[in-house]
Every structure is written in structure tokens, then in C-alpha cells.
């Protein structure tokens, strides 16, 4: 069973699973924020809310693996988003886990996120690996965007984050993804079940949601170019991220569905090729012949400076390696269709 099957990522996973010969029970509740007001489920997708135990109980018999993509996504607009994240992401996952147990299904592939890592991983030349303090407003106002060592004030260098890093959520969405992982881990230990948590990094690709407060930055840049405006890049644009194509995310899910290990395991799903946010905007402008991006120096309180993943564990254990180079993928994305 695939939840969130009509979504940006879920629809690509459904196609990839089907291509590999899996029989997919596809469900989606068709939330307005993801699909637009009044959207109906596409052919072959059942209108099921994962918070509805009775509806799940009707479709779970005979299911061997649940691939759980359904979620409210994005960093959130303000604190009023908290109940939505808690309801759809966390309560929905607990209902799903309970109904899986009742139906005898013992394997879950969970869509998690890089946001569970919080600020990422940093190293000081003097003091080694350190956990930086949140950036101060005075420094941000002065255009000093990099983290400083909490021990001596030295500049820090970002490093790849692996799956052993502590989870330190810094947004409402991140808190809900950490909770999902914790519930799934406890369920696996209580039932003898298997959980593969896939920590997606910045996913992009065709049919990504268009410019909304919950959209990814690549879609926001695309929308600006289409309006004839230069993309506006916050801070100095040097924020490092990993952009992973949606088809690679689908491939990671196919690999996870076939993984035979028990217990709980988490994996980064990333391209392995870090890229600065300003370079993402510049690549889209280059391909679209748009105005070059404007680096504004503006910032949002609580934004993470650098978060870049280590792809080694997914390659070693799942055999997953991203196939799409971000520069090539972003060039294709520059003209790809977007959702509503």
C-alpha cells in the first residue's frame, strides 16, 4: 500500500513500483494544500485518510509492505500550522501503525526528511566537531551569516551529515517528522516489524507544487522567472543544500521496499553533490534566459545555514545511488510542468 499516492513524490513512487512488478494499493486523501481546492483522486487511487482506522482496515488485508508518503509538508507559515502537522503526520502515522499490526503487515517504508537533523554538522579548525549556537540577529543584520564556534568564536566549516547525527528539529514540520520516526521505531521494537526511514533532502522535479508558502525553493525560483522577475535569494546565497531528483527518490523507495533487513534503519536520500542556493537560482535563470538572481541579504529567523547529506549508507546497505546530477536535473526542471 502506498499512502500519498497522488502527490508529487507519491505519484512517481507509484509508477516506479508498478514498473518493477509490484501490485500497488494506492491511497490519498487529496488535501487542498497539496492538490488544489476540490481536486478528486486520479484513476486507481482510493480516497482514504490515514487518520481513519476503519478506512485503512478495509484496504490493508493482503498488504505486505506500506510505503508511507502521506504528510503535510513544508516548514510552516506560523504556529497555527502545528495542529495540522500533528494530526496528519503524527496521529495519522500512529493510526496507520496500529492498523498495520491488526492486519498482520510488519514492514513500513517511511518518508522522513533531512529536517530532523536541525542545523546540520559543523567543524571548527581549533575545536573539532561542534554544535553551533543559533545565529544571532545582530550578526545576521550585519550580513555575517556563517555559524561561529561556541567555544572560541572561530568560523565553522560545514560537513556531511550521516544518519548517526542527533535529531534536533527546528521547525514544526521537523518536529512532526522526528515524532513519526520515533513512533515507527517503537512500533518495530514492539511488533518485531521492519522500518526503513528515508530522510529526503531537497526534492525537485516535474509536477512539483507551484509557488506556495509550502513549496520547495526550486519551484519558488521557477515561478519568479515565469513572472519575468529575477529569483530572490536570501542571505548571501551561500547556503549549501543537496537537491535530489524525484525519480531518484522513487528509486530509493523501490530499493527500500525490497530491503530484507529487520528492525529500524534510517537512510539519507540525496544526490551526494552539494550545491549553493544561489547556484540553483543561477542555473534555472541560465537555462530559461531569465534575469540573474538577486541576492537580497534578507534572512528568516530560524533558517538553517547549511545541511548537506552523506549518501554512503544508502549506497552500501540499500544499493541506492542517485542517477541525476543536480545541474542536469535543474536544467530539465527549468521547463518541467508544475502543479497548480
Amino acid at each position: 500500500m502506498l499512502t500519498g499516492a497522488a502527490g508529487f513524490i507519491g505519484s512517481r513512487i507509484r509508477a516506479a513500483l508498478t514498473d518493477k512488478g509490484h501490485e500497488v494499493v494506492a491511497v490519498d486523501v487529496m488535501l487542498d494544500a497539496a492538490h488544489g481546492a476540490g481536486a478528486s483522486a486520479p484513476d486507481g487511487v482510493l480516497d482514504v485518510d490515514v487518520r481513519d482506522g476503519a478506512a485503512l482496515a478495509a484496504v490493508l488485508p493482503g498488504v505486505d509492505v506500506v510505503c508511507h508518503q502521506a504528510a503535510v509538508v513544508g516548514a510552516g507559515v506560523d504556529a497555527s500550522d502545528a495542529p495540522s502537522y500533528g494530526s496528519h503526520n503524527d496521529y495519522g502515522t500512529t493510526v496507520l501503525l496500529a492498523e498495520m499490526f491488526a492486519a498482520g503487515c510488519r514492514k513500513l517504508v517511511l518518508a522522513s526528511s533531512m529536517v530532523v537533523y536541525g542545523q546540520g554538522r559543523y567543524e571548527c579548525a581549533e575545536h573539532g566537531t561542534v554544535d553551533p549556537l543559533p545565529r544571532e540577529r545582530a550578526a545576521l543584520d550585519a550580513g555575517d551569516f556563517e555559524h561561529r564556534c561556541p567555544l572560541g568564536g572561530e568560523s565553522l566549516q560545514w560537513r556531511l551529515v550521516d544518519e548517526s547525527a542527533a535529531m534536533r528539529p527546528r521547525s514544526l514540520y521537523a518536529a512532526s517528522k522526528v515524532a513519526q520516526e520515533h513512533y515507527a521505531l517503537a512500533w518495530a521494537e514492539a511488533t518485531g516489524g521492519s522500518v526503513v526511514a528515508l530522510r529526503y533532502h531537497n526534492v525537485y522535479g516535474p509536477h512539483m507544487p507551484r509557488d506556495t508558502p509550502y513549496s520547495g525553493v526550486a519551484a519558488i525560483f521557477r515561478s519568479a522567472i515565469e513572472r519575468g522577475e529575477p529569483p530572490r535569494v536570501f542571505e548571501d546565497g551561500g547556503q549549501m543544500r543537496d537537491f535530489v531528483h524525484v525519480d531518484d527518490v522513487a528509486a530509493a523507495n523501490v530499493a527500500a521496499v525490497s530491503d530484507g533487513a529487520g528492525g529500524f534503519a534510517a537512510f539519507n536520500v540525496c544526490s551526494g553533490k552539494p550545491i549553493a542556493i544561489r547556484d540553483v537560482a543561477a542555473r534555472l535563470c541560465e537555462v530559461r534566459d531569465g534575469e540573474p538572481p538577486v541576492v537580497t541579504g534578507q534572512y528568516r529567523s530560524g533558517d538553517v545555514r547549511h545541511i548537506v547529506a552523506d549518501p554512503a549508507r544508502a549506497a552500501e546497505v540499500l544499493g541506492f545511488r542517485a542517477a541525476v546530477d543536480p545541474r542536469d536535473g535543474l536544467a530539465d526542471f527549468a521547463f518541467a510542468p508544475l502543479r497548480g
Side-chain angles (χ1 to χ4, degrees):
M1 185 174 79
L2 172 65
T3 73
F8 162 52
I9 296 174
S11 59
R12 298 307 304 156
I13 294 172
R14 183 187 178 199
L17 287 170
T18 301
D19 287 347
K20 291 295 183 181
H22 294 283
E23 182 180 352
V24 180
V25 179
V27 303
D28 200 303
V29 75
M30 304 302 294
L31 292 176
D32 289 351
H35 302 282
S40 56
D43 289 345
V45 177
L46 303 174
D47 191 345
V48 172
D49 190 333
V50 294
R51 299 170 298 177
D52 184 342
L56 289 174
V59 295
L60 273 168
V63 167
D64 300 305
V65 184
V66 172
C67 190
H68 184 32
Q69 307 297 312
V72 173
V73 301
V77 176
D78 55 42
S80 65
D81 285 325
S84 179
Y85 287 124
S87 175
H88 289 280
N89 299 1
D90 301 335
Y91 177 67
T93 298
T94 64
V95 174
L96 174 62
L97 292 170
E99 294 302 330
M100 286 175 63
F101 175 73
C105 181
R106 295 292 184 270
K107 178 158 187 179
L108 176 72
V109 176
L110 174 67
S112 188
S113 171
M114 67 175 188
V115 296
V116 302
Y117 296 125
Q119 296 182 126
R121 179 169 173 254
Y122 296 86
E123 189 171 283
C124 174
E126 182 70 22
H127 301 101
T129 300
V130 297
D131 184 25
L133 298 173
R135 296 179 294 172
E136 296 182 357
R137 185 175 293 275
L140 296 171
D141 287 340
D144 183 5
F145 300 113
E146 296 294 345
H147 283 290
R148 299 285 175 178
C149 178
L151 301 177
E154 298 90 350
S155 294
L156 299 180
Q157 175 62 49
W158 60 266
R159 293 289 183 256
L160 299 181
V161 179
D162 66 27
E163 293 85 351
S164 67
M167 294 198 286
R168 294 189 174 95
R170 292 174 56 83
S171 70
L172 298 171
Y173 173 61
S176 76
K177 301 310 284 186
V178 169
Q180 280 187 308
E181 286 203 26
H182 284 167
Y183 277 118
L185 169 60
W187 174 86
E189 293 189 349
T191 65
S194 168
V195 175
V196 179
L198 300 177
R199 294 172 178 169
Y200 302 160
H201 284 251
N202 293 70
V203 186
Y204 71 98
H207 306 292
M208 190 176 185
R210 198 172 284 278
D211 188 2
T212 79
Y214 306 94
S215 293
V217 68
I220 292 172
F221 290 160
R222 251 284 303 269
S223 295
I225 296 169
E226 290 178 348
R227 293 193 301 268
E229 302 169 2
R232 297 178 61 81
V233 179
F234 279 16
E235 301 187 14
D236 60 0
Q239 307 94 304
M240 298 301 295
R241 296 291 190 271
D242 190 300
F243 280 75
V244 59
H245 195 276
V246 67
D247 287 343
D248 282 326
V249 173
N253 276 270
V254 172
V257 164
S258 303
D259 179 60
F264 179 96
F267 300 92
N268 288 324
V269 176
C270 59
S271 72
K273 297 186 176 181
I275 186 170
I277 292 293
R278 60 177 171 244
D279 293 335
V280 172
R283 181 61 170 155
L284 294 172
C285 291
E286 173 190 4
V287 175
R288 297 276 310 219
D289 292 325
E291 294 184 52
V294 173
V295 177
T296 68
Q298 294 174 285
Y299 64 86
R300 291 179 296 194
S301 179
D303 270 4
V304 173
R305 177 61 178 173
H306 307 295
I307 178 72
V308 181
D310 187 339
R313 188 178 186 191
E316 178 183 349
V317 179
L318 297 180
F320 166 73
R321 294 171 178 82
V324 182
D325 184 289
R327 285 191 59 81
D328 297 332
L330 288 167
D332 291 339
F333 177 68
F335 291 99
L338 299 180
R339 289 189 179 219

